[in-house]
Amino acid sequence: MDLTALKTWLTGLASQLHWPAGVPRPSFLWPQFLWLLLLIPVLVLLYLWLQGRRRKLAVRYASLAIVREAAGKGPGWRRHLPPLLLLAALTLLLLASARPVAVIALPSNQQTIILAMDVSGSMRATDVEPNRLVAAQNAAKAFLKDLPRDVKVGIVAFAGSAQVAQLPTLNREDLVTAIDRFQLQRATATGNAIVISLATLFPDAGIELRQLSMDRMRSIGRSLDQPEPQQKEFIPVAPGSYNSAAIIMLTDGQRTVGVDPLDAAKMAADRGVRVYTVGIGTVEGETIGFEGWSMRVRLDEETLKAIAQKTAAEYYYAGTAQDLNKVYQNLSSRLTLEKKETEISSLLALAGAVLAVLAAGLSMLWFGRVL
């Protein structure tokens, strides 16, 4: 059997076995070393043979019963426990030699999170108690408490325009103060919120709102006598590949002014930044009164889902204050823990070493010898 056939056989065997739910299913970088596991049944047979040989030798003593009475009760199960522990240790060490790899949850490298929060007039609607804005503020504060203290957070507030309410900081008190200072305004510029968030994450990249307009002009074309402006070459990266930062955008309406949010999402995707979108409010639409004005607002779920998909992130809908808190709890765990394919041979080797030491210790304690 060659190595390819061995790997195929092991894969088929693993698919037939019932793997416990929640336990990572490992693969192996060096599956050829799994042949060494054949030593385990050989050692088991050798141990059974030695036990049988010991019993045959004991029969030769005519006074065996007298000796047993004088010695008292034998070791019983204790005689077999150290060898079994040593066998388990050897099995783990042989598995470690095959370099197993599994997808496990590890602490994320996330260093900065931008909270882009909608402060348009529709956020005063009371369909989410006590109203959408207060529910969003409370959920954001709870989110800050759940985050590790070494994660920086910035706040971007947006309505008809987008402004940085708080630069990324570790100071949670400053962030809470910025959230409490929100003032409702007219219109909704979701695209501007993404661009300003990117400019906050990359302050030296020269990201501006007018950059999208310039890019759109280039796509349409420009006259031959108009010189091309000198810009530093930008090389896009894979969406979601930038693991040091992320954007969470919460909104209850659809874009009414500002840049196209899908164009802004492309800017984020080209820089590898994930934009997690959170929708709050009614999808069907609702009439809201604000400062003597009457407006009908509708949650644009299609665009929010498209933004999340384009940036390799996720979209969440929150219909109540409780749902919103759950969304932020989910995002907290999602951004601080991430599943990675990791080699776990060191963990198996450590477990094997612990079992070997335990086996030797019990043997010394019970029989005065190492196995």
Side-chain angles (χ1 to χ4, degrees):
M1 182 183 291
D2 58 14
L3 298 181
T4 303
L6 174 62
K7 188 173 182 180
T8 303
W9 178 78
L10 290 171
T11 303
L13 179 62
S15 62
Q16 295 176 8
L17 294 176
H18 175 69
W19 199 264
V23 177
R25 185 188 296 272
S27 59
F28 299 91
L29 298 179
W30 293 348
Q32 61 270 26
F33 279 81
L34 293 174
W35 280 108
L36 296 175
L37 291 175
L38 295 177
L39 292 174
I40 302 302
V42 173
L43 292 176
V44 172
L45 294 175
L46 178 60
Y47 179 74
L48 295 176
W49 177 79
L50 289 175
Q51 292 300 310
R53 184 169 178 269
R54 179 180 299 176
R55 283 193 295 269
K56 288 181 181 180
L57 292 175
V59 172
R60 297 180 183 178
Y61 292 95
S63 58
L64 180 60
I66 300 175
V67 173
R68 285 181 175 175
E69 283 186 24
K73 190 177 180 180
W77 60 270
R78 292 186 300 174
R79 174 189 300 170
H80 306 293
L81 183 57
L84 287 176
L85 291 175
L86 184 61
L87 192 66
L90 182 59
T91 302
L92 291 175
L93 292 174
L94 291 178
L95 286 173
S97 69
R99 298 183 62 189
V101 176
V103 178
I104 57 178
L106 296 174
S108 172
N109 294 326
Q110 209 75 248
Q111 297 176 357
T112 306
I113 296 175
I114 301 295
L115 290 178
M117 303 186 65
D118 191 342
V119 294
S120 59
S122 56
M123 290 291 287
R124 70 187 307 161
T126 58
D127 55 340
V128 179
E129 296 181 353
N131 62 50
R132 295 177 184 177
L133 179 63
V134 174
Q137 289 173 315
N138 293 337
K141 294 175 188 176
F143 173 74
L144 295 177
K145 292 181 180 179
D146 291 338
L147 284 179
R149 298 295 297 184
D150 59 344
V151 176
K152 290 184 177 181
V153 180
I155 306 292
V156 170
F158 68 94
S161 60
Q163 304 88 23
V164 178
Q166 175 61 56
L167 289 172
T169 179
L170 297 175
N171 192 316
R172 300 300 189 245
E173 290 76 15
D174 290 347
L175 293 167
V176 170
T177 300
I179 292 173
D180 288 336
R181 285 200 306 258
F182 286 164
Q183 296 293 327
L184 296 178
Q185 304 171 26
R186 297 177 183 172
T188 304
T190 51
N192 292 31
I194 297 175
V195 176
I196 295 301
S197 298
L198 290 173
T200 305
L201 290 174
F202 305 102
D204 299 327
I207 298 176
E208 298 179 2
L209 289 172
R210 63 181 181 180
Q211 181 175 343
L212 285 176
S213 301
M214 294 175 62
D215 292 341
R216 188 174 294 277
M217 287 177 60
R218 293 192 191 97
S219 64
I220 297 175
R222 70 173 62 243
S223 61
L224 296 177
D225 58 346
Q226 186 174 3
E228 182 76 17
Q230 296 295 325
Q231 289 188 344
K232 184 179 179 180
E233 182 180 4
F234 171 72
I235 301 176
V237 299
S241 59
Y242 187 72
N243 295 321
S244 296
I247 300 171
I248 301 175
M249 184 175 70
L250 180 143
T251 181
D252 69 338
Q254 57 187 155
R255 168 238 181 180
T256 57
V257 295
V259 300
D260 190 327
L262 294 182
D263 289 342
K266 185 178 185 307
M267 289 183 64
D270 289 343
R271 289 161 177 79
V273 178
R274 290 183 170 92
V275 181
Y276 296 88
T277 53
V278 181
I280 182 174
T282 58
V283 180
E284 297 79 11
E286 184 173 346
T287 302
I288 304 294
F290 176 61
E291 293 184 351
W293 291 74
S294 180
M295 66 186 85
R296 183 170 180 80
V297 294
R298 183 180 68 86
L299 180 61
D300 188 2
E301 276 196 315
E302 292 184 4
T303 299
L304 295 180
K305 290 177 180 178
I307 292 172
Q309 182 179 11
K310 188 181 289 289
T311 60
E314 297 175 14
Y315 166 74
Y316 299 89
Y317 172 71
T320 65
Q322 291 76 14
D323 292 341
L324 188 56
N325 284 323
K326 290 179 181 178
V327 166
Y328 273 104
Q329 289 174 4
N330 192 346
L331 284 169
S332 177
S333 60
R334 175 70 177 82
L335 294 175
T336 55
L337 290 176
E338 58 182 345
K339 292 184 177 180
K340 295 181 180 179
E341 191 176 61
T342 307
E343 185 176 345
I344 58 174
S345 55
S346 58
L347 297 178
L348 294 183
L350 176 61
V354 170
L355 289 180
V357 171
L358 181 60
L362 291 177
S363 184
M364 285 290 296
L365 177 64
W366 290 338
F367 311 115
R369 66 179 186 273
V370 180
L371 301 177

